[in-house]
mmCIF file of all heavy atoms in Angstrom:
data_model
loop_
_atom_site.group_PDB
_atom_site.id
_atom_site.type_symbol
_atom_site.label_atom_id
_atom_site.label_comp_id
_atom_site.label_asym_id
_atom_site.label_seq_id
_atom_site.Cartn_x
_atom_site.Cartn_y
_atom_site.Cartn_z
ATOM 1 N N TYR A 119 -8.014 -18.509 4.187
ATOM 2 C CA TYR A 119 -7.099 -17.517 4.756
ATOM 3 C C TYR A 119 -6.818 -17.667 6.244
ATOM 4 O O TYR A 119 -5.743 -17.315 6.698
ATOM 5 C CB TYR A 119 -7.636 -16.099 4.522
ATOM 6 C CG TYR A 119 -7.731 -15.711 3.082
ATOM 7 C CD1 TYR A 119 -8.955 -15.386 2.517
ATOM 8 C CD2 TYR A 119 -6.606 -15.662 2.274
ATOM 9 C CE1 TYR A 119 -9.046 -15.011 1.191
ATOM 10 C CE2 TYR A 119 -6.696 -15.297 0.949
ATOM 11 C CZ TYR A 119 -7.911 -14.975 0.412
ATOM 12 O OH TYR A 119 -8.012 -14.615 -0.891
ATOM 13 N N PHE A 120 -7.786 -18.093 7.044
ATOM 14 C CA PHE A 120 -7.629 -18.070 8.490
ATOM 15 C C PHE A 120 -6.511 -18.983 8.925
ATOM 16 O O PHE A 120 -6.424 -20.096 8.447
ATOM 17 C CB PHE A 120 -8.946 -18.478 9.166
ATOM 18 C CG PHE A 120 -8.931 -18.328 10.651
ATOM 19 C CD1 PHE A 120 -9.024 -17.069 11.218
ATOM 20 C CD2 PHE A 120 -8.805 -19.422 11.476
ATOM 21 C CE1 PHE A 120 -9.010 -16.918 12.580
ATOM 22 C CE2 PHE A 120 -8.791 -19.281 12.836
ATOM 23 C CZ PHE A 120 -8.890 -18.029 13.396
ATOM 24 N N PRO A 121 -5.637 -18.631 9.816
ATOM 25 C CA PRO A 121 -5.521 -17.443 10.658
ATOM 26 C C PRO A 121 -4.565 -16.396 10.104
ATOM 27 O O PRO A 121 -4.025 -15.595 10.844
ATOM 28 C CB PRO A 121 -4.999 -18.002 11.969
ATOM 29 C CG PRO A 121 -4.093 -19.117 11.555
ATOM 30 C CD PRO A 121 -4.720 -19.680 10.301
ATOM 31 N N ASN A 122 -4.336 -16.383 8.817
ATOM 32 C CA ASN A 122 -3.440 -15.399 8.206
ATOM 33 C C ASN A 122 -4.236 -14.223 7.663
ATOM 34 O O ASN A 122 -5.456 -14.240 7.645
ATOM 35 C CB ASN A 122 -2.624 -16.057 7.097
ATOM 36 C CG ASN A 122 -1.842 -17.242 7.619
ATOM 37 O OD1 ASN A 122 -1.224 -17.166 8.668
ATOM 38 N ND2 ASN A 122 -1.918 -18.353 6.921
ATOM 39 N N GLU A 123 -3.537 -13.205 7.181
ATOM 40 C CA GLU A 123 -4.201 -12.041 6.596
ATOM 41 C C GLU A 123 -5.005 -12.461 5.381
ATOM 42 O O GLU A 123 -4.573 -13.329 4.655
ATOM 43 C CB GLU A 123 -3.171 -10.975 6.210
ATOM 44 C CG GLU A 123 -2.648 -10.197 7.376
ATOM 45 C CD GLU A 123 -3.710 -9.391 8.099
ATOM 46 O OE1 GLU A 123 -4.613 -8.843 7.444
ATOM 47 O OE2 GLU A 123 -3.651 -9.320 9.309
ATOM 48 N N PRO A 124 -6.139 -11.895 5.135
ATOM 49 C CA PRO A 124 -6.792 -10.792 5.825
ATOM 50 C C PRO A 124 -7.684 -11.220 6.978
ATOM 51 O O PRO A 124 -8.363 -10.391 7.573
ATOM 52 C CB PRO A 124 -7.624 -10.158 4.712
ATOM 53 C CG PRO A 124 -8.007 -11.289 3.840
ATOM 54 C CD PRO A 124 -6.830 -12.231 3.886
ATOM 55 N N LEU A 125 -7.715 -12.494 7.323
ATOM 56 C CA LEU A 125 -8.579 -12.982 8.407
ATOM 57 C C LEU A 125 -7.740 -13.513 9.562
ATOM 58 O O LEU A 125 -7.681 -14.705 9.825
ATOM 59 C CB LEU A 125 -9.515 -14.090 7.888
ATOM 60 C CG LEU A 125 -10.454 -13.695 6.775
ATOM 61 C CD1 LEU A 125 -11.255 -14.894 6.301
ATOM 62 C CD2 LEU A 125 -11.383 -12.600 7.227
ATOM 63 N N SER A 126 -7.113 -12.628 10.275
ATOM 64 C CA SER A 126 -6.233 -13.041 11.358
ATOM 65 C C SER A 126 -6.997 -13.206 12.671
ATOM 66 O O SER A 126 -8.086 -12.688 12.845
ATOM 67 C CB SER A 126 -5.111 -12.023 11.533
ATOM 68 O OG SER A 126 -5.664 -10.760 11.827
ATOM 69 N N TYR A 127 -6.384 -13.946 13.586
ATOM 70 C CA TYR A 127 -6.964 -14.173 14.912
ATOM 71 C C TYR A 127 -6.416 -13.130 15.880
ATOM 72 O O TYR A 127 -5.223 -12.821 15.866
ATOM 73 C CB TYR A 127 -6.600 -15.576 15.408
ATOM 74 C CG TYR A 127 -7.080 -15.859 16.808
ATOM 75 C CD1 TYR A 127 -8.426 -16.069 17.063
ATOM 76 C CD2 TYR A 127 -6.195 -15.911 17.873
ATOM 77 C CE1 TYR A 127 -8.880 -16.324 18.341
ATOM 78 C CE2 TYR A 127 -6.633 -16.168 19.153
ATOM 79 C CZ TYR A 127 -7.976 -16.378 19.382
ATOM 80 O OH TYR A 127 -8.422 -16.626 20.658
ATOM 81 N N GLU A 128 -7.272 -12.585 16.719
ATOM 82 C CA GLU A 128 -6.871 -11.598 17.720
ATOM 83 C C GLU A 128 -6.778 -12.298 19.070
ATOM 84 O O GLU A 128 -7.787 -12.642 19.678
ATOM 85 C CB GLU A 128 -7.893 -10.455 17.780
ATOM 86 C CG GLU A 128 -7.550 -9.389 18.768
ATOM 87 C CD GLU A 128 -6.193 -8.776 18.490
ATOM 88 O OE1 GLU A 128 -5.965 -8.281 17.386
ATOM 89 O OE2 GLU A 128 -5.355 -8.820 19.401
ATOM 90 N N SER A 129 -5.556 -12.528 19.530
ATOM 91 C CA SER A 129 -5.370 -13.289 20.771
ATOM 92 C C SER A 129 -5.777 -12.507 22.014
ATOM 93 O O SER A 129 -6.131 -13.094 23.027
ATOM 94 C CB SER A 129 -3.914 -13.749 20.893
ATOM 95 O OG SER A 129 -3.065 -12.620 20.906
ATOM 96 N N ARG A 130 -5.739 -11.181 21.966
ATOM 97 C CA ARG A 130 -6.138 -10.355 23.112
ATOM 98 C C ARG A 130 -7.611 -9.969 22.996
ATOM 99 O O ARG A 130 -7.956 -8.807 22.888
ATOM 100 C CB ARG A 130 -5.269 -9.099 23.189
ATOM 101 C CG ARG A 130 -3.824 -9.343 23.484
ATOM 102 C CD ARG A 130 -3.568 -9.693 24.916
ATOM 103 N NE ARG A 130 -4.063 -8.622 25.770
ATOM 104 C CZ ARG A 130 -4.315 -8.760 27.048
ATOM 105 N NH1 ARG A 130 -4.152 -9.912 27.630
ATOM 106 N NH2 ARG A 130 -4.745 -7.754 27.758
ATOM 107 N N ASN A 131 -8.489 -10.970 23.004
ATOM 108 C CA ASN A 131 -9.915 -10.693 22.910
ATOM 109 C C ASN A 131 -10.562 -10.806 24.288
ATOM 110 O O ASN A 131 -9.972 -11.326 25.229
ATOM 111 C CB ASN A 131 -10.585 -11.630 21.900
ATOM 112 C CG ASN A 131 -10.446 -13.080 22.293
ATOM 113 O OD1 ASN A 131 -11.051 -13.518 23.256
ATOM 114 N ND2 ASN A 131 -9.627 -13.827 21.546
ATOM 115 N N LEU A 132 -11.765 -10.282 24.403
ATOM 116 C CA LEU A 132 -12.460 -10.214 25.682
ATOM 117 C C LEU A 132 -12.710 -11.586 26.285
ATOM 118 O O LEU A 132 -12.524 -11.785 27.488
ATOM 119 C CB LEU A 132 -13.781 -9.457 25.510
ATOM 120 C CG LEU A 132 -14.566 -9.159 26.763
ATOM 121 C CD1 LEU A 132 -13.760 -8.297 27.721
ATOM 122 C CD2 LEU A 132 -15.875 -8.471 26.428
#
Side-chain angles (χ1 to χ4, degrees):
Y119 296 119
F120 187 75
N122 303 315
E123 283 297 323
L125 300 176
S126 59
Y127 176 73
E128 181 58 56
S129 60
R130 294 285 302 161
N131 61 70
L132 186 60

